[in-house]
Amino acid sequence: MKIRIKDNSIRLRLTQSEVSELGKNGIVSSVTQFVDRPFIYEIKKTDDDELSAVFIENRIVMKIPETMIEELVSTDKVGFDGQTGLVKLLVEKDFVCIDNTLEDQSDNYPNPNLTC
């Protein structure tokens, strides 16, 4: 899972297997291990009606309604957005990059703008 934080916005991008895991288990998470403690970011299924997020200690938890997860898993829907206070939220499928990149993209979704 990739995270992008800029000012008051958080975007999480999920690979195909992460979307599948979210659909199956209701949670997917990643960890960046700093020297003194980990930074954890996760997406967790909720019974709420809207996408929301909390930040507790060293963990960002994006809460996504079950209906959104089902749509993400079973349709071509790219993602969902929401807002918590001033923080804008976005959860989306991660597509293969059009430009050259060194990162492994084998589990990313095929890019609809990529002509092969």
Side-chain angles (χ1 to χ4, degrees), residues 9 18 20 29-30 38 43 56-57 61-62 75 85-86 95 98 106-107:
S9 68
E18 290 165 337
S20 178
S29 65
S30 289
I43 301 174
I56 300 170
E57 295 179 16
V61 180
M62 186 109 38
T75 71
L86 298 176
F95 291 99
I98 294 175
S106 60
D107 194 27

Side-chain angles (χ1 to χ4, degrees), residues 53-114:
V54 294
F55 181 68
I56 300 170
E57 295 179 16
N58 54 329
R59 180 185 306 258
I60 294 173
V61 180
M62 186 109 38
K63 299 177 182 180
I64 185 168
E66 185 173 6
T67 55
M68 289 182 185
I69 293 173
E70 290 170 2
E71 191 172 351
L72 206 57
V73 169
S74 62
T75 71
D76 289 336
K77 179 81 174 182
V78 173
F80 294 94
D81 61 356
Q83 191 158 340
T84 294
L86 298 176
V87 181
K88 294 180 182 177
L89 310 170
L90 180 62
V91 173
E92 61 186 358
K93 294 175 179 173
D94 197 8
F95 291 99
V96 172
C97 296
I98 294 175
D99 59 353
N100 293 331
T101 183
L102 298 177
E103 73 180 67
D104 179 14
Q105 300 185 73
S106 60
D107 194 27
N108 290 16
Y109 287 87
N111 191 316
N113 297 322
L114 190 64

Side-chain angles (χ1 to χ4, degrees), residues 9-26:
S9 68
I10 300 171
R11 178 172 72 176
L12 296 176
R13 296 170 115 186
L14 303 173
T15 63
Q16 294 182 73
S17 61
E18 290 165 337
V19 169
S20 178
E21 180 180 341
L22 183 61
K24 182 179 179 183
N25 302 322

